């Protein structure tokens, strides 16, 4: 099968380093999300903001910012949606010199008991997309939110740090498997029930691909979700899927991502 034709070669015909140079002094931690509304509000929460790069694709430009608050600097950008596009963004972000990525966004829930806007931390992802198969060998699933260790140095798990943050702030969360698909209009009832039986609690469009990119490049990637539409009903329920729905609650979630960046930056000092 085509998706089983994995190549271990690190050099491709076109590589990020062919046209992107590392930025001197770039922060090592990046924060990103998928909603343009949440992104704009998060960007405004920083004391200082400077555009340092720009992704240029056929139909849009994505500005990359260096931001600062309380003496801590991060890279901030609004990630493109869908596994191939998101993987391309992340490849270029890593090439700029970033080592750790924190990215969050909405997901559909496959368990109606998960509340709207609740936090979900994926630990595994079903690879129902094509991008990840170009980064790691074929398999049905991939482990998510692994911390990549370099030079034999043991560092705290980002997942454990995030869980500690949630528990300290009294925010409930669910840990479970996510179904990553690149065909949003083919999430059929039959497939949804299959994924539920396999242990999936949510569905998204990027998670398994970004985990594969990070694993292949030897970088750190931490993904978490906030629950949006509910598929575990007789009729689909959009709940807070819209960008402008429950904006203040989503601001709180964005702040969690920033606080997580603060903690992992402090841990490395």
């Amino acid at each position: 099968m085509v998706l089983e034709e994995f190549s271990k070669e690190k050099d491709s015909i076109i590589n990020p380093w062919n046209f992107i140079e590392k930025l001197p002094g770039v922060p090592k931690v990046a924060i990103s999300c998928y909603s343009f509304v949440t992104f704009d509000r998060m960007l405004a929460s920083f004391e200082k903001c400077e555009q340092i790069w720009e992704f240029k694709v056929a139909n849009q430009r994505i500005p990359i910012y260096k931001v600062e608050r309380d003496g801590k600097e991060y890279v901030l950008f609004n990630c493109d949606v869908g596994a191939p596009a998101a993987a391309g963004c992340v490849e270029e972000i890593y090439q700029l010199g970033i080592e750790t990525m924190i990215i969050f966004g909405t997901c559909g829930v496959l368990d109606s008991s998960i509340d709207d806007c609740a936090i979900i931390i994926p630990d595994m992802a079903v690879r129902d997309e094509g991008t990840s198969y170009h980064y790691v060998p074929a398999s049905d699933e991939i482990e998510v939110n692994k911390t990549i260790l370099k030079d034999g140095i043991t560092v705290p798990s980002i997942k454990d740090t995030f869980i500690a943050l949630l528990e300290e702030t009294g925010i409930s969360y669910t840990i479970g498997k996510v179904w990553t698909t690149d065909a949003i209009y083919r999430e059929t009832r039959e497939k949804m029930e299959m994924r539920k039986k396999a242990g999936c609690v949510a569905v998204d469009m990027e998670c398994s691909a970004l985990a594969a990119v990070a694993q292949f490049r030897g970088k750190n990637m931490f993904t978490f979700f906030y629950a949006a539409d509910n598929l575990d009903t007789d009729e689909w329920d959009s709940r807070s899927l819209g960008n402008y729905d429950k904006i203040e609650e989503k601001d709180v979630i964005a702040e969690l991502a920033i606080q997580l960046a603060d903690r992992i930056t402090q841990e490395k000092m």
Side-chain angles (χ1 to χ4, degrees), residues 140-166:
D140 289 341
E141 301 178 0
I142 186 170
E143 186 176 354
V144 177
N145 290 330
K146 293 174 62 176
T147 298
I148 306 298
L149 305 182
K150 283 197 166 185
D151 302 322
I153 299 174
T154 301
V155 295
S157 163
I158 299 175
K159 181 170 68 175
D160 290 344
T161 301
F162 188 56
I163 289 171
L165 172 62
L166 295 175

Side-chain angles (χ1 to χ4, degrees), residues 53 68 75 134 244:
W53 188 257
E68 180 180 343
V75 167
H134 299 279
Y244 292 97

Side-chain angles (χ1 to χ4, degrees), residues 30-43:
I31 306 168
S32 186
C33 67
Y34 300 100
S35 164
F36 71 91
V37 174
T38 296
F39 175 79
D40 287 345
R41 293 168 70 89
M42 182 167 54
L43 184 64

Side-chain angles (χ1 to χ4, degrees), residues 75-147:
V75 167
L76 196 69
F77 73 102
N78 194 190
C79 191
D80 207 348
V81 174
C89 284
V90 169
E91 280 269 37
E92 297 191 11
I93 279 288
Y94 285 145
Q95 178 57 27
L96 292 176
I98 284 78
E99 292 292 332
T100 299
M101 169 80 66
I102 298 168
I103 189 163
F104 66 98
T106 61
C107 67
V109 298
L110 309 187
D111 180 352
S112 58
S113 69
I114 298 175
D115 292 333
D116 194 14
C117 285
I119 299 295
I120 297 174
I121 304 171
D123 57 2
M124 296 290 292
V126 173
R127 300 168 62 186
D128 194 10
E129 39 73 34
T131 303
S132 66
Y133 293 84
H134 299 279
Y135 289 90
V136 297
S139 63
D140 289 341
E141 301 178 0
I142 186 170
E143 186 176 354
V144 177
N145 290 330
K146 293 174 62 176
T147 298

Side-chain angles (χ1 to χ4, degrees), residues 199-215:
C200 293
V201 299
V203 58
D204 89 307
M205 297 175 62
E206 300 87 11
C207 185
S208 58
L210 298 191
V213 172
Q215 182 175 320

Side-chain angles (χ1 to χ4, degrees), residues 45-72:
S45 73
F46 284 89
E47 299 162 354
K48 296 181 182 179
C49 171
E50 172 192 3
Q51 183 174 334
I52 58 173
W53 188 257
E54 184 179 64
F55 294 151
K56 297 177 182 179
V57 294
N59 63 347
Q60 64 175 312
R61 296 186 176 191
I62 301 175
I64 311 302
Y65 299 95
K66 181 169 74 172
V67 295
E68 180 180 343
R69 191 171 76 178
D70 299 329
K72 299 181 180 69

